[in-house]
Amino acid sequence: MTRLPRILRAVPLLSAGLFLHLACGAGGPSPSSPSSAPPAAAPAPKPLNVVVIMTDDQEAVSAREMPRMQSLIAAQGVTFQNAISTTPLCSPSRATVLSGRYAHSHNILSNQPPLGGYGKYRDSGMEGDSLPVWLKSAGYRTAYLGKYTNGYGPGWATKPPGWDDWLAFTEPQAYVNFTFNEDGRDLKSPGGEYQTDYLTTRALEYLRRTEDKDDQPFFLMVAPYAPHNVSKYASRHAGMFSSAGAPRTPAFDEPDVNDKPRHIKRINRFTSAQVTNIDNEYRNSLRALQAVDEMIEKLVQALEAQGELDNTAIIFFSDNGLSTGAHRFTDKTAPYAESLDIPLYIRVPGGPKGITIPHLVANLDLPATIVDWARIPPPPAIEGRSLTPLFAATTPPVSAWRPDILVEYWDNTNPATTLMPTYQGVRVENGVESALYVQHDTREEEYYDFKADPYQMDSAVGSHPAEVNRLNARMKTLAACRGSSCR
C-alpha cells in the first residue's frame, strides 16, 4: 500500500456576515420611494448542530478504507490532508481539541504525571474554560461519549463542567469488558459488548432524545477507542483486509538514517518477525475502523430521519497520527508526517462537496470553527483559526491563509536513551514552500522540503541554512505565543 499524495480537500461555510449579505440581496423598491415599506430584517443565521467523531491514533491513509465516511462526509464536504495534530500524543491533543490552545498554553504536555494526564487537566481549571462550557452558555445541549483523556479513571464522582450528558471510558481502556463513568456513576459494560457498537447505540439514543428539545441546538462528541493499539475488531469484520499491510512508502524501515537525529539512529532495522507484526496490527486497525465507519452511517441516517441533517455540521478526525514503520518508528510523537498528519473531514450544510484544498489546518482550529458555527464570538484564549472561510463559495488562496503552525512535543526522560526527546518546530504550507523544521532538546535539527523530499528521507539542514535560521526564529515566536497572537 502506498501513501496518498500530500493534498487537501475542504468545504467552507459562508461566514455569518457574508451569509447575511447574500440573504438580504439587492434590488427591490428604493427605501426612499413613498410606496415602499421598510425592508424586513433578515433572520439571523441559525446556530448549527455539531456532531464530532474523534478516533484514537489513526494515521491519515487508513481513512480511505472507510467507504461510508468517504461517501457521507468526504464526498459531501471537505477532506483536509494537510491537517496536523500540533502535539502528536493523545492527552495533549485532546486538551487542545477541547480548549483551542496549544499544549504550551494549556500545559497538558504528556499522557501521565507529572507532565500531563487527566488529573493535571482537571486541577488546572482548564475544563471550566473550554468548548462545552462555551457552547452550553450559548444555549447548546452538550454530550460526550467515549474516551476522554488519558488517566481518567474510576472515582471521578462528578462529570466535567459544560456537559449535559456524560459517558467517559475509565482506565484501563479496553475494547470489551470496559468500564465507564456515566454522569458521575462508575459502571461496567454489558457482557460481551464491543465498545464501538455500544457507543453507536448510546449516540443514537442521544439523538432521539434531542427530538424532545427540537428548538435547542446540540453538540455531540463521540470518541471511540478504535483503532488504538492493540486493535480489537468486531467479529463480523474478521475476514476483511486479509492481504493488507502497513503502507510501504520509501520511508518504511528506512535503510539509511544517517541524516536523522541520534534517537532515530539508535533504532535497528526491522526483523521479518517485526514486519509481520506491523502488518498484522495495521490490518487489525483497518478492521477496527469498520465499526466506526458503520457508526458514521447510522448517525447520518438518524440525523436525516429526524430532519436535522441539513442543519448539522459533521467532523471526522483523529487525535493524532501514527507511524507504522516509517523511519523505523512504530509510535506517534515523532515529527514525521505519519505521526503529525491526521485524517480530517468536515461536512457543512450548504458548503461545497468533495473539495480538496492544500491549506494548512490543525486540531487546534476545531474549537474556533465550532464556536463560529454556534454564532458566538471566539473566546480570547482560543489560539486556533475558524475554518469557515475555507467553506466559502470561493476558497481563499493558500497564500492568503495561515502560512505556518507550531508543532511541539515534551519528554521528561533521559535524552540519551528516550524514544523521542522534547522538540518544537514549524510546519509550513504557504503556496510556495511546503516544509517542516524541528529542533530537538538535544540541539539536533531537522529540515525537510516536502516538494523535493515528500517522504522525509533526507534532512536538508546543512544545505538550507537560510530556511533553517528563518524557521528557527519563527519557532521561537510561536512557542511564546498566547491567545490571539497565535492565530
Side-chain angles (χ1 to χ4, degrees), residues 172-179 189-195 225 232-233:
Q173 293 290 322
Y175 282 93
V176 293
N177 299 321
F178 51 90
T179 58
S189 64
E193 188 84 13
Y194 181 61
Q195 192 193 83
Y225 192 45
K232 303 293 183 183
Y233 49 85

Side-chain angles (χ1 to χ4, degrees), residues 28-349:
S30 165
S32 61
S33 169
S35 60
S36 65
K46 186 177 179 182
L48 294 179
N49 304 316
V50 182
V51 173
V52 176
I53 302 100
M54 177 175 62
T55 55
D56 192 359
D57 289 4
Q58 182 182 359
E59 52 85 34
V61 176
S62 62
R64 65 184 178 181
E65 303 295 352
M66 301 178 70
R68 298 167 181 85
M69 189 281 294
Q70 290 290 341
S71 65
L72 296 173
I73 301 180
Q76 301 300 317
V78 181
T79 304
F80 297 88
Q81 196 168 339
N82 280 338
I84 67 166
S85 176
T86 54
T87 300
L89 185 63
C90 298
S91 198
S93 175
R94 289 163 185 261
T96 290
V97 168
L98 292 172
S99 70
R101 300 166 174 90
Y102 279 112
H104 72 256
S105 292
H106 62 58
N107 205 33
I108 309 305
L109 306 180
S110 186
N111 287 345
Q112 294 90 26
L115 294 183
Y118 176 66
K120 184 173 183 181
Y121 184 51
R122 179 203 59 183
D123 295 343
S124 73
M126 196 74 60
E127 289 177 312
D129 186 22
S130 63
L131 183 59
V133 174
W134 304 330
L135 293 176
K136 187 170 175 60
S137 67
Y140 274 70
R141 182 173 179 82
T142 60
Y144 194 97
L145 308 174
K147 177 181 175 180
Y148 186 44
T149 189
N150 298 68
Y152 184 78
W156 306 111
T158 59
K159 57 188 174 184
W163 298 108
D164 294 304
D165 290 64
W166 176 255
L167 191 161
F169 298 135
T170 49
E171 302 284 3
Q173 293 290 322
Y175 282 93
V176 293
N177 299 321
F178 51 90
T179 58
F180 57 94
N181 183 289
E182 183 171 9
D183 295 335
R185 297 174 297 131
D186 289 325
L187 301 170
K188 294 183 178 180
S189 64
E193 188 84 13
Y194 181 61
Q195 192 193 83
T196 307
D197 292 345
Y198 183 72
L199 281 183
T200 300
T201 298
R202 299 302 301 266
L204 293 173
E205 290 174 354
Y206 174 80
L207 290 179
R208 284 193 290 272
R209 291 200 306 275
T210 65
E211 285 294 273
D212 296 335
K213 298 179 179 293
D214 202 39
D215 59 340
Q216 184 179 20
F218 62 83
F219 172 66
L220 169 63
M221 191 164 187
V222 187
Y225 192 45
H228 190 284
N229 291 353
V230 171
S231 298
K232 303 293 183 183
Y233 49 85
S235 59
R236 63 186 178 276
H237 302 129
M240 300 182 69
F241 306 106
S242 58
S243 61
R248 292 299 198 270
T249 72
F252 183 83
D253 194 20
E254 186 176 351
D256 183 358
V257 292
N258 284 326
D259 63 299
K260 300 295 187 292
R262 288 190 294 274
H263 56 275
I264 298 295
K265 291 177 184 177
R266 288 196 296 265
I267 306 174
N268 295 324
R269 295 202 67 184
F270 300 137
T271 65
S272 59
Q274 286 174 315
V275 171
T276 297
N277 288 338
I278 291 169
D279 284 340
N280 284 340
E281 180 53 35
Y282 190 77
R283 189 178 301 123
N284 290 340
S285 72
L286 296 180
R287 291 167 176 159
L289 285 169
Q290 300 315 297
V292 180
D293 205 35
E294 293 167 352
M295 171 198 288
I296 290 169
E297 180 179 49
K298 290 176 181 178
L299 292 179
V300 171
Q301 289 173 344
L303 290 167
E304 187 169 30
Q306 293 175 202
E308 295 287 1
L309 187 58
D310 289 340
N311 193 50
T312 302
I314 305 173
I315 299 173
F316 172 77
F317 79 111
S318 178
D319 56 356
N320 47 258
L322 184 75
S323 179
T324 56
H327 315 292
R328 309 183 189 178
F329 195 73
T330 54
D331 202 348
K332 47 215 169 188
T333 74
Y336 303 128
E338 292 78 11
S339 297
L340 290 172
D341 289 359
I342 56 173
L344 175 60
Y345 301 82
I346 301 179
R347 171 177 175 161
V348 179

Side-chain angles (χ1 to χ4, degrees), residues 440-475:
H440 298 272
D441 244 15
T442 57
R443 311 310 295 172
E444 294 169 290
E445 297 174 295
E446 296 181 80
Y447 173 81
Y448 301 96
D449 176 353
F450 287 119
K451 291 186 176 181
D453 182 15
Y455 298 106
Q456 296 175 272
M457 299 294 289
D458 297 296
S459 178
V461 172
S463 58
H464 290 71
E467 289 88 344
V468 167
N469 290 336
R470 171 173 53 83
L471 292 178
N472 180 275
R474 178 61 175 158
M475 174 195 74

